[in-house]
């Protein structure tokens, strides 16, 4: 017996294997050098043996790379791996998470189409819809995330997409993705889920019935706060349009970043399990503290959608928020008293981060809008990293001591 392999795709035998195996091996390609790690193709173009070869590649008659804005082998390996992990037919990588969202709407919507967006989405996502897509004649309305009847009632004959983040940031609200997909499909609309907070390790929206998944790979897929990137995954029918837009408009992923993300995916499940375990420990501990008025984390039994989170997700995620005594002053004093945790709005990093949403990520909202969104002045958000949980608890105790 021998392990015969040719240069090229190595993952043809992965039918039926588990998530952890796909995370390490899906999308793997090998050059004749026999490298075990993924090769990094830092090249902008590809050469042809003859003018006729070039013509055949350009026309698409012969498959292959032409130019790295169109395809790149390292980027393709990342795309194939993430498609396998999401259970999607196809995925395409983008320069950032925002470029992923831009590409979905630009490729699937036209002037006169209507899009429904959950109220609590990422700040730049709201700006993209409000300031730019509206300018090109795309109608946009916002719906409270969790209320299925509200979504159903807001769908119009020209509604093309429903766009949600579940769980939401920073209050960890959820929507029943399978039920929302049914509502969208009954009226001929597509459901798009931003799966950045859960990653496919914790939640697979396509398997729940969603049509398209977008990611900021900048967060947990990199997992160490170093590279920007994004992904769109879904059915080939829609992905064909998204790929076409990306190739033409150009917000594609660099091969270096794709190579980093391939490394990130190999440890994704292990990391997410550690993030979730520490987040749950800290959420349960914070809930017991006198200075803390409320903790928002779907892993807590006190969370109104705890049962849905258990059904829909394989873990509760790394992001939790809590309200402290003393309003904004209390929250700022708490944050400033920490020594280990980084004061930054980023998340999905091995380093734990702490932020005051009301004056950072949600600072541009009018006080009334903030109130409606449930972002109190006393609210603090942490994105739990991979440090020892006892050290994180001791750091948060410094904050509690100055309330
Ligand atoms: C960070 C983030 C984005 C945007 O991703 P970038 O990589 O920063 O462009 C989109 N959605 C969510 C939920 C995010 O957290």
């Amino acid at each position: 017996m021998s392990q015969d392999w040719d240069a090229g795709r190595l993952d043809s035998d992965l039918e039926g294997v588990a998530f952890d195996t796909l995370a390490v091996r899906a999308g793997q390609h090998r050059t004749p050098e026999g490298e075990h790690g993924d090769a990094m193709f830092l090249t902008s173009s590809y050469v042809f043996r003859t003018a006729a070869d070039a013509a055949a590649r350009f026309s698409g008659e012969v498959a292959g790379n032409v130019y790295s804005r169109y395809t790149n082998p390292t980027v393709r390996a990342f795309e194939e791996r993430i498609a396998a992990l999401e259970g999607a037919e196809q995925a395409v990588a983008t320069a950032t998470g925002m470029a992923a969202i831009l590409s979905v709407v630009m490729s699937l919507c036209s002037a006169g189409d209507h899009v429904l967006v959950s109220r609590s989405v990422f700040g730049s996502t709201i700006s993209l819809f409000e300031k730019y897509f509206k300018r090109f004649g795309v109608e946009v309305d916002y719906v409270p995330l969790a209320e299925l009847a509200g979504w159903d009632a807001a769908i119009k004959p020209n509604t093309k997409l429903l766009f949600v983040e579940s769980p939401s940031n920073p209050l960890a609200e959820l929507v029943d993705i399978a039920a929302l997909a049914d509502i969208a499909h009954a009226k001929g609309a597509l459901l798009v889920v931003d799966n950045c907070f859960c990653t496919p390790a914790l939640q697979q929206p396509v398997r729940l019935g969603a049509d398209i998944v977008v990611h900021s790979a900048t967060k947990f897929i990199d997992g160490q706060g170093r590279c920007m990137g994004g992904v769109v995954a879904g059915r080939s029918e829609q992905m064909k349009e998204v790929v076409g837009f990306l190739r033409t408009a150009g917000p594609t992923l660099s091969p270096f970043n794709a190579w980093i993300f391939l490394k990130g995916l190999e440890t994704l499940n292990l990391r997410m399990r550690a993030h979730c375990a520490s987040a749950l420990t800290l959420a349960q501990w914070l809930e017991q503290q006198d200075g803390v008025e409320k903790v928002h984390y779907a892993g807590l039994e006190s969370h109104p959608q705890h049962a849905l989170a258990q059904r829909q997700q394989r873990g509760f995620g790394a992001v939790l928020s809590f309200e402290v005594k003393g309003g904004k002053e209390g929250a700022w004093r708490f944050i400033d008293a920490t020594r280990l945790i980084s004061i930054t709005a980023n998340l999905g990093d091995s380093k734990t981060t702490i932020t005051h949403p009301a004056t950072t990520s949600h600072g541009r909202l009018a006080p009334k809008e903030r109130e409606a969104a449930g972002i109190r002045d006393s609210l603090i958000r942490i994105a739990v990293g991979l440090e020892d949980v006892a050290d994180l608890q001791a750091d948060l105790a410094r904050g509690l001591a100055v309330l």
Side-chain angles (χ1 to χ4, degrees), residues 178-228:
L180 189 59
D182 287 344
I183 288 170
H185 297 158
K187 302 221 172 132
L190 299 173
L191 176 61
V192 184
V193 178
D194 183 333
N195 200 27
C196 168
F197 274 49
C198 276
T199 82
L202 303 185
Q203 173 169 277
Q204 294 161 321
V206 168
R207 295 219 157 97
L208 294 169
D211 301 281
I212 296 169
V213 170
V214 295
H215 278 288
S216 168
T218 314
K219 311 294 168 50
F220 295 100
I221 291 175
D222 173 332
Q224 299 181 31
R226 294 193 170 90
C227 284
M228 307 284 302

Side-chain angles (χ1 to χ4, degrees), residues 54-74:
R57 287 264 193 106
F58 269 80
S59 70
E61 193 185 308
V62 171
N65 303 297
V66 170
Y67 187 53
S68 281
R69 170 152 48 78
Y70 304 155
T71 55
N72 173 283
T74 314

Side-chain angles (χ1 to χ4, degrees), residues 95-99 101 121-122 124-125 163 165 167 169 194-197 214-219 227-230 346-347 381:
T96 62
M98 291 317 302
I101 298 169
V121 292
F122 189 65
S124 296
T125 305
F163 185 99
E165 269 171 41
N169 176 34
D194 183 333
N195 200 27
C196 168
F197 274 49
V214 295
H215 278 288
S216 168
T218 314
K219 311 294 168 50
C227 284
M228 307 284 302
N346 199 24
L347 63 107
R381 189 200 75 184

Side-chain angles (χ1 to χ4, degrees), residues 9 26-27 29 69-95 100 103-104 200 206 211-215 217 221 230-244 246-247 251-253 258 261-262 265:
R9 267 195 93 136
H29 293 252
R69 170 152 48 78
Y70 304 155
T71 55
N72 173 283
T74 314
V75 175
R76 188 184 55 205
F78 169 60
E79 291 168 342
E80 287 174 0
R81 189 168 298 173
I82 194 103
L85 296 180
E86 286 287 3
E89 284 177 12
Q90 196 182 339
V92 65
T94 57
S103 305
V104 167
V206 168
D211 301 281
I212 296 169
V213 170
V214 295
H215 278 288
I221 291 175
V231 183
V232 184
R235 266 194 302 279
S236 304
E237 182 191 347
Q238 279 94 34
M239 292 308 298
K240 203 170 126 229
E241 301 299 323
V242 178
V243 167
L246 273 161
R247 289 183 179 190
T252 44
L253 186 66
F261 297 154
L262 279 165
L265 288 178

Side-chain angles (χ1 to χ4, degrees), residues 3-318:
Q3 286 200 357
D4 272 331
W5 53 266
D6 290 321
R9 267 195 93 136
L10 298 176
D11 66 350
S12 51
D13 292 334
L14 294 183
E15 193 65 40
V17 305
F19 185 93
D20 284 339
T21 307
L22 292 174
V24 174
R25 294 197 178 264
Q28 214 192 348
H29 293 252
R30 190 174 287 164
T31 75
E33 298 292 343
E35 74 281 0
H36 198 202
D38 298 288
M40 196 196 305
F41 289 88
L42 290 178
T43 181
S44 40
S45 67
Y46 304 83
V47 294
F48 312 102
R49 289 177 198 285
T50 64
D53 282 347
R57 287 264 193 106
F58 269 80
S59 70
E61 193 185 308
V62 171
N65 303 297
V66 170
Y67 187 53
S68 281
R69 170 152 48 78
Y70 304 155
T71 55
N72 173 283
T74 314
V75 175
R76 188 184 55 205
F78 169 60
E79 291 168 342
E80 287 174 0
R81 189 168 298 173
I82 194 103
L85 296 180
E86 286 287 3
E89 284 177 12
Q90 196 182 339
V92 65
T94 57
T96 62
M98 291 317 302
I101 298 169
L102 172 76
S103 305
V104 167
V105 179
M106 287 299 285
S107 56
L108 299 179
C109 293
S110 306
D113 286 342
H114 178 233
V115 178
L116 285 175
V117 180
S118 61
R119 267 221 180 107
S120 38
V121 292
F122 189 65
S124 296
T125 305
I126 297 202
S127 303
L128 190 59
F129 279 103
E130 277 301 295
K131 198 163 165 209
Y132 298 101
F133 292 140
K134 277 191 173 174
R135 198 195 276 173
F136 293 95
V138 174
E139 293 173 36
V140 185
D141 282 311
Y142 300 89
V143 182
L145 176 67
E147 293 166 28
L148 293 171
W151 286 99
D152 197 32
I155 295 180
K156 304 200 282 191
N158 59 339
T159 304
K160 204 65 182 268
L161 301 178
L162 275 56
F163 185 99
V164 301
E165 269 171 41
S166 180
S168 73
N169 176 34
L171 295 177
E173 284 179 301
L174 273 58
V175 68
D176 184 331
I177 292 174
L180 189 59
D182 287 344
I183 288 170
H185 297 158
K187 302 221 172 132
L190 299 173
L191 176 61
V192 184
V193 178
D194 183 333
N195 200 27
C196 168
F197 274 49
C198 276
T199 82
L202 303 185
Q203 173 169 277
Q204 294 161 321
V206 168
R207 295 219 157 97
L208 294 169
D211 301 281
I212 296 169
V213 170
V214 295
H215 278 288
S216 168
T218 314
K219 311 294 168 50
F220 295 100
I221 291 175
D222 173 332
Q224 299 181 31
R226 294 193 170 90
C227 284
M228 307 284 302
V231 183
V232 184
R235 266 194 302 279
S236 304
E237 182 191 347
Q238 279 94 34
M239 292 308 298
K240 203 170 126 229
E241 301 299 323
V242 178
V243 167
F245 172 77
L246 273 161
R247 289 183 179 190
T248 309
T252 44
L253 186 66
S254 106
F256 178 80
N257 290 16
W259 187 84
I260 296 284
F261 297 154
L262 279 165
K263 274 165 63 66
L265 288 178
E266 293 187 17
T267 56
L268 180 68
N269 202 22
L270 282 173
R271 288 187 287 108
M272 293 311 290
R273 269 188 251 162
H275 282 295
C276 291
S278 294
L280 182 61
T281 301
L282 293 175
Q284 286 170 339
W285 174 76
L286 282 165
E287 210 172 31
Q288 310 287 314
Q289 306 306 309
D290 281 344
V292 176
E293 290 175 335
K294 193 169 172 52
V295 181
H296 305 271
Y297 186 64
L300 295 174
E301 276 165 33
S302 59
H303 189 286
Q305 294 169 298
H306 180 61
L308 172 61
Q310 280 180 311
R311 197 165 76 233
Q312 178 163 288
Q313 300 175 198
R314 271 195 282 178
F316 305 110

